[in-house]
Amino acid sequence: MKKLKKQFISDFSAAMLENNAAIFAGAGLSVPSGYVNWKELLRQFSDSIGLNIDKEYDLISVAQYYKNSAQSKNQISQKLIQEFTKDSKDNNLLTLLTSMPIETFWTTNYDHLIEDNLKKAGKRVDIKIDNNDLSITPPNIDATVYKFHGDISRPYEAILTRDDYESFDKSHKLFIQTLRGDLISKTFVFVGYSLNDP
């Protein structure tokens, strides 16, 4: 294990020096800042449809089931606003990651923690939320943040339900192609992201 850690540190350090390092961040990176994870986000909706969220593993189906029973995603969108516009706490790992010479950040998080911390570190940030954003790149950018599942500024477009996931390859085709290119050309570290997530 020590040998693997040393190799990883060596590889990722080299990738940073070559501007080829990237982060893929999930909800686990935002939880220490005071934001909810998926289960807590969906808890009240799960309760309202008679499911125990602590026993559920297919959370996108829970969100879909709630949306179908409510005939709307409005309540979920409102919950996103409520949870992800709160004041956040300091997060040492996030501060460290955003201060490093890393130019590419992919995230499934809806909050603004990554981009806000990059700006605090004095970096100019380009934020990509949908396919249209991919065609425009401002000059003199230090880091790009790709919001893979949407952004709290557009809660009604957030990728949350099974329907959202099933139409993702069509609605986010260019995003997927961009991620594939980065996965081939960059060295990634996955942080706060379960590889079991859909």
Side-chain angles (χ1 to χ4, degrees), residues 1-9:
M1 193 64 155
K2 271 188 176 180
K3 190 175 181 180
L4 285 175
K5 284 182 184 179
K6 281 185 180 179
Q7 186 62 50
F8 163 74
I9 291 168

Side-chain angles (χ1 to χ4, degrees), residues 1 16 40 62 128 134 146 165:
M1 193 64 155
M16 282 193 291
E40 292 311 311
V62 171
K128 309 288 191 191
L134 296 175
Y146 297 90
Y165 277 87

